[in-house]
C-alpha cells in the first residue's frame, strides 16, 4: 500500500522542522562572554549620567559637545553646557559685559542645538568668574558631574604649550573623569 | 543545641570554592529541561487523550498558554537569581522563609512523584516488549486489579536510580545530553513521518466534532496536560551548575518553551489524525509507541524504537527527580528551612547520600501506594503531581511580583513582556495574569482530582510540622524570616557565575540608590 501525502500534513511537517531548527540555532548562539575587566570598563562608561562640556563657541569645543552626546546617548545622559565669561581682577565681578555675554549665549545656543539632535536632556550654564577653569571645576563638584569633555585647540599657544591655563586647572581640580579631545593640526 | 544564625546565609563569598561545579553547557542546560519535558509528553499523551478525547489538542493548548506564562516567569527569575533551589529560592527571597518552605515542599512532592511516576512509565515502555506483564493483574484483599509485576519493575528502577545517584552524576549529565538529542530526533521523526504519510485532517475534525468531553473532563484533562510542561523548574535547579547562567538560561528556557509547545501540540494533533483517541487512552503506559506503530513504512520499526527511547527518556526524567530533590533539600538546608541532616555527603562519592536515599524511599512508597489503586496507577500519581506543580508555580508568580518591588536593583537579563510602572516599580502584567491562571488551575486540580485535594495539602501540612519542629528546636524564628544580607549574596552569586557585566550593573544600581538615599538624608 502506498500512503498518500496530504498537502496540509506536509505543510505542518515542514513548519515543524523549520521552527525546531530555527529555535535551536538561536539557542546555540548566545552573546559573547564579557571578562571582568571589560565589564568594569563597559559599565563605568555606562554609569556616566551627567556630562559637563565647557564651550567657547569654537569648532573644536563644539566637536566636544558632539562627542559628549555620543558617549551619553546609550544611557540617556544629561549634557550640561557651560560658558564662563572671565572677568579681569581689575574690574568688579558684576560689571556689565553685554558683548561677552551675548557671545556666550550664542555659543551655548549652538551647542544646545547639537544636543537637541541627539534628543538628550541638557542645561545651559552661563557664569562669570575670575578663572574659567576654577569655575568649571566648581560646577562639576556642586552638580555631581560624572565626566567633563574638553575640546582643545590643535595648535600650541603663544608659550608653545598645548594645554592652556583653563585646561590645566580643570585637569588639576576637577573631581571627576576628564576627557580631552585634541584634533590633529590639519583639522 | 541551637544552630548559629548567619547574617548572610546562602552562598559562599567571592574567592572561596563553590559547592557545585559549573559544568552544564548550553545544550546541557537545555537537555536538562528537555529530558524532563520530553518525557512528560510521552507520559501525558495517553492520560490526556483518555480525559479530553477529541479535544486533546485544545487541552494541551490551554495548558500551554499557562505554561508560556510560567516559562516567562521562570526565565526572568532563573536568569536574575542563578542559584539552585528554583521556585523555593524565589519564594524565600521574595515572600519570606515560610512561603519559601511551602513552595519547596510542594516541589519536593513533585520531584518524588516525578521519580515514582516516571519509573513506572519507564517500566511501562519496557513492557511494550512484554505484553504478558502489561496484561498481568491480581486482587489483593480490598485492592483490585493490581499489576504486581509492573510495580516490582518500577521499584527496581527506583533502586537503580538511587544507587546511580549515590555513585555520582557527572556521567549522567553527558548521558542526559546524548539521550536528549537522540530522543528529539526520534520524536521529531515520528511527527514528521506521521504528518507526511499517515495524517488525515478529516479524521481530526471528525473526532473533534463527535468525541468532545464533558466540561469537568476537559478541565481535568487541562490540569493533567500541565504535567507535559513541567521541566523549566529543572533548568533553574541546574542554574548553579550552568556556565554563564544569566546569559544561557534565558536562551535555553525560551527555546525549551517553544520546543516543548511544538512537540506537545503536534503529538495530539498527529494522534487524532492517525488513530482513534481510544487507542491511545487504552495504552496510557506507552502511547507514543502505539502511535509510532501506526505510521506506514516505518511503523514496524518506529514502535520498537519509540518504546526503547520512551523507556530511557522517562527514566532520565525520573533521574532528574532524584537530582532535583537533592538540590532542593541542599538549598533548603542552606537557608535553615530544613535540617542540615539532609545534606550529609557520602565520604567516598561526595554525593548527598541521605537525601538521595530518603527521597527515593518516599518515591517508592508513593509508587506502591499508587499501584494499590489498581489499573489507574499512573493516573493516581498524576493526581498528586498536578497539585504540587500548580501550587509552586502560583507562589513563584507572587514571588516574581514581590521581587520586582523589593529588589528592583538586581539586573534582569530577561524581563517578562508587558509591564506597567506603578510608583516607580515595574509590575508585570503577564505575571499577574499567570498568578490568576495558576491559582485557577490549582482550583481545577482541587475540584477535579479527588486524591490530589487530600494528599497534596496533607503533604504540605506534614512538612510544615517538620519545619516548625526544626525551627523551634534550633531557636530560629518560626513565622518570621532569618535575617539575611541579600545584596551580599547577590554579589557572591554573580561573581561565582562569572556574570561580570551584570555584577557591575548591580553594583552601579546599588551605588546610585545609596547616592540617592544619602542626598535624601542630607536634605
Amino acid at each position: 500500500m502506498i500512503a498518500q501525502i496530504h498537502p496540509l500534513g506536509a505543510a505542518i511537517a515542514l513548519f515543524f522542522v523549520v521552527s525546531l531548527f530555527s529555535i535551536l540555532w538561536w539557542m546555540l548562539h548566545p552573546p559573547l562572554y564579557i571578562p571582568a575587566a571589560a565589564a568594569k570598563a563597559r559599565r563605568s562608561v555606562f554609569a556616566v549620567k551627567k556630562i559637563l562640556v565647557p564651550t567657547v563657541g569654537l569648532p573644536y569645543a563644539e566637536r566636544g559637545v558632539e562627542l559628549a552626546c555620543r558617549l551619553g546617548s546609550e544611557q540617556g545622559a544629561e549634557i550640561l553646557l557651560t560658558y564662563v565669561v572671565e572677568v579681569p581682577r581689575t574690574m568688579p565681578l558684576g560689571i556689565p559685559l553685554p558683548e561677552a555675554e551675548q557671545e556666550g549665549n550664542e555659543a551655548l545656543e549652538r551647542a544646545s542645538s547639537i544636543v537637541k539632535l541627539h534628543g538628550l536632556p541638557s542645561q545651559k550654564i552661563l557664569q562669570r568668574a575670575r578663572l574659567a577653569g576654577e569655575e568649571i571645576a566648581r560646577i562639576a563638584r556642586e552638580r555631581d558631574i560624572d565626566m567633563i569633555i574638553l575640546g582643545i585647540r590643535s595648535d600650541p599657544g603663544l608659550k608653545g604649550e598645548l594645554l592652556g591655563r583653563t585646561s590645566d586647572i580643570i585637569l588639576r581640580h576637577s573631581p571627576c573623569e576628564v576627557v580631552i579631545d585634541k584634533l590633529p593640526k590639519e583639522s | 543545641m541551637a544552630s548559629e544564625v548567619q547574617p548572610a546565609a546562602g552562598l559562599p563569598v567571592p574567592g572561596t570554592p563553590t559547592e557545585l561545579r559549573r559544568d552544564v553547557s548550553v545544550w546541557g542546560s537545555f537537555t536538562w529541561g528537555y529530558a524532563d519535558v520530553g518525557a512528560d509528553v510521552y507520559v501525558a499523551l495517553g492520560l490526556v487523550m483518555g480525559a479530553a478525547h477529541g479535544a486533546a489538542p485544545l487541552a494541551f493548548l490551554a495548558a500551554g498558554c499557562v505554561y508560556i506564562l510560567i516559562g516567562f516567569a521562570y526565565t526572568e527569575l532563573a536568569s536574575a537569581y542563578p542559584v539552585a533551589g528554583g521556585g523555593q529560592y524565589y519564594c524565600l527571597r521574595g515572600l519570606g522563609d515560610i512561603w519559601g518552605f511551602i513552595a519547596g515542599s510542594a516541589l519536593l512532592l513533585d520531584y518524588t512523584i516525578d521519580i515514582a511516576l516516571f519509573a513506572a512509565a519507564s517500566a511501562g515502555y519496557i513492557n511494550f516488549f512484554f505484553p504478558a506483564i502489561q496484561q498481568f493483574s491480581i486482587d489483593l484483599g480490598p485492592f483490585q486489579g493490581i499489576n504486581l509485576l509492573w510495580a516490582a519493575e518500577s521499584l527496581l528502577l527506583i533502586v537503580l536510580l538511587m544507587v546511580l545517584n549515590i555513585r555520582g552524576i557527572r556521567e549522567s549529565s553527558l548521558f542526559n545530553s546524548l539521550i536528549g538529542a537522540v530522543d528529539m530526533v526520534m520524536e521529531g521523526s515520528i511527527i514528521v513521518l506521521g504528518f507526511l504519510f499517515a495524517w488525515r485532517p478529516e479524521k481530526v475534525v471528525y473526532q473533534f466534532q463527535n468525541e468532545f468531553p464533558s466540561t469537568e473532563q476537559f478541565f481535568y484533562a487541562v490540569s493533567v496536560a500541565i504535567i507535559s510542561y513541567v521541566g523549566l523548574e529543572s533548568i533553574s535547579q541546574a542554574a548553579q551548575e550552568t556556565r554563564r547562567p544569566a546569559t544561557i538560561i534565558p536562551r535555553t528556557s525560551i527555546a525549551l518553551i517553544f520546543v516543548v509547545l511544538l512537540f506537545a501540540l503536534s503529538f495530539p494533533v498527529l494522534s487524532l489524525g492517525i488513530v482513534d483517541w481510544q487507542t491511545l487512552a487504552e495504552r496510557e503506559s506507552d502511547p507514543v509507541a502505539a502511535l509510532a506503530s501506526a505510521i506506514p513504512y516505518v511503523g514496524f520499526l518506529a514502535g520498537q524504537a519509540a518504546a526503547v527511547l520512551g523507556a530511557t527518556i522517562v527514566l532520565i526524567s525520573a533521574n532528574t527527580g532524584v537530582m532535583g530533590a537533592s538540590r532542593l533539600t541542599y538549598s533548603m538546608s542552606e537557608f535553615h528551612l530544613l535540617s542540615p541532616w539532609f545534606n550529609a555527603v557520602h565520604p567516598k562519592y561526595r554525593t548527598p547520600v541521605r537525601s538521595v536515599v530518603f527521597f527515593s524511599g518516599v518515591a517508592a512508597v508513593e509508587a506502591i501506594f499508587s499501584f494499590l489503586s489498581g489499573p489507574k496507577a499512573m493516573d493516581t500519581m498524576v493526581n498528586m503531581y498536578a497539585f504540587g506543580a500548580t501550587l509552586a508555580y502560583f507562589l513563584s508568580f507572587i514571588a516574581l511580583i514581590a521581587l520586582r518591588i523589593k529588589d528592583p536593583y538586581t539586573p534582569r537579563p530577561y524581563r517578562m513582556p508587558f509591564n506597567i510602572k506603578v510608583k516607580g516599580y515595574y509590575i508585570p502584567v503577564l505575571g499577574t495574569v499567570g498568578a490568576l491562571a495558576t491559582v485557577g488551575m490549582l482550583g481545577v486540580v482541587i475540584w477535579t482530582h479527588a486524591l490530589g485535594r487530600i494528599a497534596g495539602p496533607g503533604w504540605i501540612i506534614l512538612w510544615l510540622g517538620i519545619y516548625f519542629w526544626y525551627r523551634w528546636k534550633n531557636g530560629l524564628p518560626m513565622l518570621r524570616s532569618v535575617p539575611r544580607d541579600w545584596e551580599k549574596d547577590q554579589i557572591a552569586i554573580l561573581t561565582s557565575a562569572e556574570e561580570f557585566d551584570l555584577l557591575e550593573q548591580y553594583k552601579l544600581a546599588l551605588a546610585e540608590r545609596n547616592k540617592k538615599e544619602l542626598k535624601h538624608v542630607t536634605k
Side-chain angles (χ1 to χ4, degrees), chain A:
Chain A
M1 188 192 99
I2 297 169
Q4 280 189 328
I5 297 172
H6 196 285
L8 186 58
I12 295 174
L14 183 68
F15 172 78
F16 177 85
V17 171
V18 171
S19 308
L20 190 65
F21 278 100
S22 311
I23 295 165
L24 293 180
W25 189 90
W26 172 80
M27 182 190 79
L28 293 168
H29 291 80
L32 292 174
Y33 170 68
I34 303 170
K40 211 167 260 263
R42 253 169 71 92
R43 289 294 158 188
S44 63
V45 172
F46 198 77
V48 174
K49 298 282 168 65
K50 271 187 180 181
I51 305 175
L52 181 67
V53 193
T55 179
V56 286
L58 293 169
Y60 61 81
E62 274 154 13
R63 193 185 143 86
V65 179
E66 175 64 23
L67 202 61
C69 293
R70 301 234 177 162
L71 271 173
S73 62
E74 198 188 336
Q75 70 271 31
E78 186 181 11
I79 311 292
L80 284 87
L81 306 161
T82 181
Y83 185 101
V84 181
V85 178
E86 282 191 330
V87 183
R89 291 187 193 278
T90 51
M91 295 177 187
L93 199 60
I95 193 168
L97 295 166
E99 276 184 24
E101 283 188 351
Q102 193 189 337
E103 200 179 305
N105 279 325
E106 282 171 7
L108 286 173
E109 207 50 56
R110 278 201 304 279
S112 177
S113 64
I114 296 171
V115 182
K116 272 182 195 155
L117 289 174
H118 293 270
L120 294 173
S122 68
Q123 276 189 51
K124 289 177 279 186
I125 306 163
L126 181 71
Q127 291 282 22
R128 285 168 173 234
R130 298 294 183 194
L131 286 170
E134 280 180 0
E135 183 61 15
I136 290 163
R138 189 188 64 78
I139 293 170
R141 254 191 310 276
E142 281 185 2
R143 301 201 180 214
D144 274 338
I145 297 296
D146 301 307
M147 181 187 274
I148 297 174
I149 295 186
L150 209 55
I152 62 168
R153 60 178 183 258
S154 313
D155 299 314
L158 293 172
K159 293 177 187 170
E161 290 164 345
L162 207 56
L163 288 176
R165 186 184 56 186
T166 303
S167 309
D168 189 64
I169 295 172
I170 291 172
L171 280 175
R172 284 173 197 278
H173 300 287
S174 69
C176 59
E177 187 177 356
V178 180
V179 175
I180 292 186
D181 175 40
K182 181 204 159 284
L183 297 172
K185 265 186 181 178
E186 303 82 64
S187 329

Side-chain angles (χ1 to χ4, degrees), chain B residues 356-375:
Chain B
V356 168
V357 172
F358 183 85
F359 290 105
S360 300
V362 172
V365 171
E366 286 168 352
I368 292 168
F369 176 73
S370 306
F371 276 104
L372 287 179
S373 67

Side-chain angles (χ1 to χ4, degrees), chain B residues 66 68-74 76-77 393-402 404 414-420 426-439:
Chain B
V66 180
I68 289 175
L69 297 178
I70 296 165
F72 284 162
Y74 263 75
E76 176 172 332
L77 290 165
Y393 287 155
F394 167 65
L395 289 176
S396 296
F397 273 119
I398 303 295
L400 172 89
I401 299 165
R404 285 278 189 95
Y414 172 81
R415 260 177 204 274
M416 280 192 89
F418 304 115
N419 299 287
I420 47 167
Y426 289 93
I427 305 297
V429 176
L430 289 184
T432 315
V433 174
L436 293 173
T438 43
V439 80

